[in-house]
Amino acid sequence: MPELPRHSGLLLHVTSLPSRYGVGDFGPTAYAFVDFLVQSGQRVWQVLPLVPVTEGASPYASPSTFAGSPLLISPDQLAAEGLLTADDVAQVPDFPADHVAYETVTPFKRTLLERAYAHHAAAPEAERQQRFEAFCAAERGWLDDYALFRVLKEAHDGEVWTRWAAPLAACDPQAVAQARQDHAEAIRQQQFWQFLFAEQWQALKHYANERGVLLFGDLPIYVAHDSADVWAAQHLFHLEDDGEPVVVAGVPPDYFSATGQRWGNPIYRWDVMRKDRYAWWTRRLRHILQQVDLLRLDHFRAFEAYWAIPRAEETAVNGAWYPGPGAPFFETIRENLGSLDFVAEDLGIITDEVRALMRQFGLPGMAVLQFAFGGDDAHPFLPHNFHEHLVAYTGTHDNDTFAGWWFDRASTQEAEVVANEQARIRTYLHLTPEREAMIHWVGIETLMRSQARLVVFPLQDVLGLRSEARMNTPGTDHGNWAWRVQPDALTPEHGATLRRLAEESGRV
């Protein structure tokens, strides 16, 4: 990819924005956040995957890698377009402001979206209808299957697709054609919601790009088993005859977990994908690169070699390494797409072969300041060891906040270990009692002044929030993906400090 400019930016998922509708969306506060980025000298807005979510609300376990989350559609925008009335948006439940209560937000927003579709279907406005039809035609390659999948899931009370009637579970063409006829109106509604998502996101992206702000997205390497992606293309995955995975994805035991991590995603049949020049992956990457300007490839190391675990295994211990698609994959993708605007998520134990693959295609990796102090002075995440072609973070969505990492971890880790590491950090970051009280700004300033071309900070770190504001704790299945920023939390002082640091470090 081209050399990254010397910029800085903020990490904030759209769901975390303030909104009277219980979850952040593409409405006024999203545009206000872009304005804040501009005023504070920030040129990048990094978001998590914008895909639909199900139970657990993880954007990394979605029923579609192509679809957008209807939760992110702004009711205010729909009202402005005449798809909702003033009465539709007047009565809003008293949602909590500090987190997303998905169990109440989801049915409420669905009711609004159903009304929006009903308004459209009853009296289609000619220009909008024309845009809708053009969208359906352009996105047919994924949209038709996704819309049918969601409708069939509802018709089967949410059951995983392998438990549907055999012809539908096998995605039999005759059964699928009949289902499209039987559920035509419900399918049309799902398609309309995807159209609304796409129009609102593209309008927001245009607004950001016009003001010099780049949108930085995130793409999980794997897709969920219970997804339209797997159901509609079963031949591309290692599946049994009944549709269940033969092997599943994860990572082996390491210093994070004695039993490794068993994610449960089905594994790609890279041999089959290679035969049609990775057409599915090309469509996937082309689609998301229309939504964002820069893309993080999550779990990049699996493109070089991946850990496969027999489905019957309860942990990741008894897996094995297999070769990934490697350089031929990226060569083909570059031929198909023209460029590789990717950042490689290379956290964890990374081999020389993975590093060589990144160098071959000029893909920058990542450094996380919170991980920098567990080794010696040669640790690559220590800022004095940074090189330019790098994206550096105080922390990611999977980390504690920077202030939480400093002040709260003594309660969760061995006290002596924490004390020894913090003594080293105090020396490295020149911490006085006054600077320690503002540890989040110390971390931000340290990365701002580093050689890394792009530095990104979770908004929680700008605000100096503690562990209660953490976005996700890997290995846990509750309390994640719900944090929201309070409406008046960001102040002109925050923006002024960010801008001063960006200007002093040559990032504006």
Side-chain angles (χ1 to χ4, degrees), residues 199-214:
E199 288 222 321
Q200 289 195 5
W201 174 251
Q202 288 300 326
L204 178 60
K205 182 178 185 297
H206 179 74
Y207 184 87
N209 290 168
E210 271 197 328
R211 287 152 181 80
V213 174
L214 302 176

Side-chain angles (χ1 to χ4, degrees), residues 78-90:
L78 298 182
E81 297 172 26
L83 287 169
L84 292 177
T85 67
D87 288 342
D88 288 331
V89 296

Side-chain angles (χ1 to χ4, degrees), residues 373 382 402 405-410 415-437 439 442 446:
F373 302 98
L382 286 170
F402 204 72
W405 165 76
W406 181 257
F407 291 111
D408 299 335
R409 65 178 173 150
E416 185 178 353
V417 173
V418 172
N420 290 339
E421 186 171 307
Q422 287 194 336
R424 183 180 180 215
I425 296 169
R426 285 190 178 94
T427 300
Y428 189 91
L429 297 179
H430 307 291
L431 293 183
T432 62
E434 293 77 14
R435 281 169 59 83
E436 186 171 334
I439 187 71
V442 174
T446 299

Side-chain angles (χ1 to χ4, degrees), residues 250-317:
V251 289
D254 58 18
Y255 53 84
F256 290 114
S257 172
T259 58
Q261 297 178 46
R262 184 190 184 280
W263 299 332
N265 310 78
I267 299 289
Y268 299 111
R269 292 194 60 187
W270 290 112
D271 57 331
V272 175
M273 290 181 160
R274 184 172 59 248
K275 291 177 182 177
D276 66 0
R277 291 178 51 78
Y278 303 105
W280 183 89
W281 268 96
T282 299
R283 291 195 302 272
R284 186 187 189 198
L285 290 167
R286 179 180 288 120
H287 178 77
I288 194 169
L289 288 172
Q290 291 170 348
Q291 296 179 336
V292 298
D293 304 296
L294 185 63
L295 184 64
R296 188 186 87 136
L297 296 180
D298 193 33
H299 194 52
F300 179 84
R301 70 105 57 245
F303 287 105
E304 194 281 323
Y306 60 89
W307 188 251
I309 307 157
R311 175 167 56 94
E313 294 289 335
E314 295 184 358
T315 73
V317 171

Side-chain angles (χ1 to χ4, degrees), residues 159-225:
E159 286 278 14
V160 62
W161 61 266
T162 53
R163 298 176 186 168
W164 300 350
L168 281 177
C171 210
D172 174 75
Q174 186 174 346
V176 166
Q178 184 62 51
R180 293 193 197 283
Q181 292 183 25
D182 295 342
H183 302 282
E185 191 64 18
I187 290 170
R188 193 71 165 164
Q189 178 172 254
Q190 290 283 345
Q191 292 171 325
F192 188 69
W193 294 346
Q194 290 303 307
F195 163 71
L196 295 177
F197 171 95
E199 288 222 321
Q200 289 195 5
W201 174 251
Q202 288 300 326
L204 178 60
K205 182 178 185 297
H206 179 74
Y207 184 87
N209 290 168
E210 271 197 328
R211 287 152 181 80
V213 174
L214 302 176
L215 278 301
F216 187 0
D218 199 8
L219 188 74
I221 183 172
Y222 295 118
V223 295
H225 174 250

